[in-house]
Amino acid sequence: GYINEKISVADYTETELISEAFNKMMSRMKVLDDSRQEFVSNVSHELKTPLTSMKVLADSLIAQEDVQAELYKEFMIDITQEIDRENKIINDLLSLVKLDKTSADLNIASVNINELLELILKRLRPIAAKSNIELIFESFRPVTAEVDEVKITLAISNLVENAIKYNIENGWVHVSLNADHKYFYIKVADSGIGIPEESVEHIYERFYRVDKSHSREIGGTGLGLSITRNAILMHRGAIKVYSKEGEGTTFTVRVPLNYIS
Ligand code: ADP
């Protein structure tokens, strides 16, 4: 770029400067437009995949003569699974679109974060139990914060859901809460499969999944972490991840105790 060029601003005429600024703005808009187009194309692709499966399943049932009730039922179960998947993608997309708006849409109220976390864990405990995963909650102090309860719940639920989904049989998930005078900190650590080093930088991208086939099996849409990140950033917070393949993953979230001040 021209930052490195050894010509001072004084060497340019005013018209050249304006034209330079204009070009810069246009190329920024192009980047925005490209990413929007990519998003729309990804959305279409993701929504089409379950539809294609449903069509194939239905077509093959129609094509067969005298379908046995057993087989018919089997196909119908597969079709409903694809419908569930389509539903999940649409729900995630709607959450994401809501979170793409400005922070003016935050519905700030005083929230007991300890209770919020206890509730999330209570809701997810049955799912964790299926793989015999131990869910542990540790609070270093009681925390009350000015946040959007729905959005923070969504953000943290996604992290804990992932910690369960990408875990191993008999594993554990450790959720902890701490605070200082400015922020509260939530840590979600798991004993799971971990994230390959080269994938870590991509995990917040929409529709990104480390292992598409495995992730599909366990019902991932690739939107969860984008949703989480957006919700945290809306609160002027931050999110970080540490992961080691085969050992586990730890997400840490930092959110201001008082968004307004
Ligand atoms: P998904 O709906 O597929 O879970 P996310 O956006 O929530 O999508 O996560 C993106 C990808 O990051 C996942 O598909 C998975 O590969 C990886 N990932 C997220 N959380 C974890 C975790 N706790 N352990 C291992 N991998 C994870």
Side-chain angles (χ1 to χ4, degrees):
Y2 34 76
I3 297 163
N4 297 325
E5 287 171 23
K6 290 203 181 69
I7 305 169
S8 76
V9 170
D11 294 331
Y12 286 99
T13 66
E14 200 176 333
T15 331
E16 279 171 330
L17 282 172
I18 290 170
S19 136
E20 194 67 55
F22 180 77
N23 286 339
K24 202 172 162 188
M25 193 180 81
M26 287 309 282
S27 78
R28 273 202 197 138
M29 280 172 77
K30 169 123 177 43
V31 170
L32 277 179
D33 195 49
D34 285 352
S35 76
R36 168 170 298 202
Q37 270 184 28
E38 195 192 321
F39 179 58
V40 170
S41 129
N42 284 341
V43 167
S44 313
H45 173 80
E46 295 293 330
L47 291 177
K48 263 185 163 175
T49 311
L51 266 187
T52 309
S53 304
M54 283 185 252
K55 173 85 175 140
V56 169
L57 288 163
D59 276 349
S60 64
L61 264 190
I62 292 166
Q64 287 181 54
E65 312 254 318
D66 307 321
V67 184
Q68 283 178 1
E70 196 86 337
L71 188 74
Y72 194 85
K73 193 167 174 190
E74 214 175 278
F75 273 57
M76 277 306 167
I77 289 170
D78 287 347
I79 290 175
T80 47
Q81 276 169 357
E82 294 299 329
I83 293 173
D84 288 346
R85 183 166 172 76
E86 188 87 52
N87 238 329
K88 189 163 172 16
I89 298 172
I90 291 170
N91 283 335
D92 278 2
L93 273 171
L94 289 175
S95 303
L96 192 63
V97 169
K98 270 194 213 147
L99 289 166
D100 248 5
K101 295 196 196 145
T102 58
S103 307
D105 291 324
L106 281 178
N107 194 355
I108 301 280
S110 191
V111 177
N112 181 326
I113 305 296
N114 294 68
E115 280 175 13
L116 181 146
L117 291 176
E118 300 266 15
L119 206 69
I120 291 174
L121 293 193
K122 190 178 159 190
R123 267 198 5 247
L124 294 175
R125 210 151 252 137
I127 300 171
K130 279 188 202 160
S131 309
N132 199 28
I133 290 166
E134 196 184 357
L135 273 186
I136 308 147
F137 176 49
E138 183 179 19
S139 169
F140 290 96
R141 62 188 64 206
V143 176
T144 305
E146 305 290 317
V147 294
D148 185 319
E149 183 167 14
V150 174
K151 294 188 175 80
I152 292 294
T153 301
L154 188 61
I156 304 303
S157 297
N158 282 341
L159 292 181
V160 182
E161 269 170 42
N162 281 348
I164 298 168
K165 274 196 312 197
Y166 303 105
N167 216 315
I168 50 169
E169 196 84 13
N170 308 317
W172 49 261
V173 175
H174 190 165
V175 179
S176 60
L177 172 66
N178 208 344
D180 54 26
H181 62 293
K182 255 188 117 170
Y183 301 100
F184 67 90
Y185 306 85
I186 295 171
K187 200 154 96 177
V188 180
D190 69 54
S191 61
I193 59 173
I195 303 165
E197 215 181 311
E198 66 274 15
S199 298
V200 169
E201 59 178 315
H202 298 293
I203 54 170
Y204 300 109
E205 290 167 16
R206 292 154 171 175
F207 298 114
Y208 182 82
R209 281 161 275 173
V210 172
D211 178 349
K212 287 239 171 203
S213 56
H214 181 61
S215 199
R216 199 177 149 68
E217 235 168 73
I218 48 184
T221 64
L223 292 171
L225 286 179
S226 328
I227 293 170
T228 295
R229 186 168 174 271
N230 281 9
I232 300 302
L233 292 186
M234 267 178 107
H235 284 83
R236 301 197 185 115
I239 180 165
K240 272 195 193 145
V241 61
Y242 309 90
S243 190
K244 195 143 197 258
E245 233 186 322
E247 282 183 22
T249 304
T250 300
F251 281 92
T252 45
V253 164
R254 187 193 78 193
V255 180
L257 286 167
N258 195 338
Y259 175 82
I260 289 116
S261 66

